[in-house]
Amino acid sequence: WEEEPLARFVDAVRAVDPAATGVPITQLESIRDMRQAFIDSSIWALITVTIIAAISFRALLPALLAPATVVAGVAMTIGLLPVFGSHLNLANFFAIPMLIGLGIDSAIHIIHRFREDPTNPGPTIRAVGFTALTTAIGFGTLVLADHRGMQSLGLAMGVGSLACMYVACVLLPVFLKSGQKSL
């Protein structure tokens, strides 16, 4: 779980024998490869959902607003995890691509509803909120697991679902109402 001490150990081993191999070395390289794959997949997911939003909305502002909503929700998640004694790690970083999918879905529904009827977005906002809440509860129950990795994933998904819900159901409608003529 702790990359820094492992990296120091591998550096010390490699100082003695640059060609050394073994479990600590392969584990450290695997951690670094997984992190890079996670970053790459998250970037591709954001690009893809932005393209889908652009096709769906046929307008630039809502096509950019939907993924911006997701980015804000994910950023809140990353910022809130330490409050709960956690951080992104090898067990829970899988939550981020899932949150991208869940968050974009929420934003797209709310933006479409707002574009159709800006005077009555309430039913869609409630439906999106309820869906996000059930997702947070479903994944959040993993915090009760005995396995620390599952607990960490449950926390990240629970906090992330609620953060994405807040951004989509509270902040996004305020933003949409303030600039409704440009949608």
Side-chain angles (χ1 to χ4, degrees):
W1 292 98
E2 301 298 329
E3 183 180 352
E4 284 185 42
L6 180 60
R8 284 194 306 270
F9 176 77
V10 168
D11 288 344
V13 169
R14 286 182 171 158
V16 174
D17 182 2
T21 62
V23 173
I25 294 167
T26 56
Q27 184 176 357
L28 180 63
E29 295 303 324
S30 292
I31 289 169
R32 290 176 175 165
D33 287 346
M34 285 189 286
R35 180 183 302 108
Q36 190 58 51
F38 157 74
I39 291 167
D40 293 346
S41 67
S42 294
I43 290 168
W44 280 110
L46 274 172
I47 290 168
T48 304
V49 298
T50 302
I51 291 168
I52 291 169
I55 291 168
S56 177
F57 293 122
R58 295 186 182 113
L60 183 61
L61 181 61
L64 295 176
L65 192 55
T69 302
V70 175
V71 169
V74 169
M76 283 180 66
T77 302
I78 293 168
L80 286 169
L81 283 177
V83 172
F84 295 99
S86 188
H87 59 281
L88 283 182
N89 58 49
L90 292 176
N92 69 15
F93 69 71
F94 297 104
I96 302 301
M98 288 190 280
L99 291 172
I100 291 170
L102 294 168
I104 197 74
D105 185 56
S106 298
I108 285 173
H109 286 302
I110 290 172
I111 295 169
H112 269 301
R113 175 58 178 228
F114 198 87
R115 291 176 85 193
E116 289 172 7
D117 184 5
T119 63
N120 189 25
T124 300
I125 292 170
R126 284 191 296 278
V128 165
F130 183 75
T131 301
L133 186 59
T134 58
T135 300
I137 291 168
F139 277 108
T141 59
L142 291 174
V143 299
L144 303 173
D146 290 332
H147 189 272
R148 286 188 312 151
M150 295 304 285
Q151 291 171 353
S152 181
L153 177 61
L155 180 65
M157 283 301 297
V159 169
S161 295
L162 294 174
C164 287
M165 177 183 73
Y166 175 76
V167 174
C169 294
V170 177
L171 300 181
L172 179 60
V174 169
F175 186 81
L176 290 171
K177 285 179 185 175
S178 70
Q180 75 187 56
K181 292 185 177 129
S182 59
L183 288 175

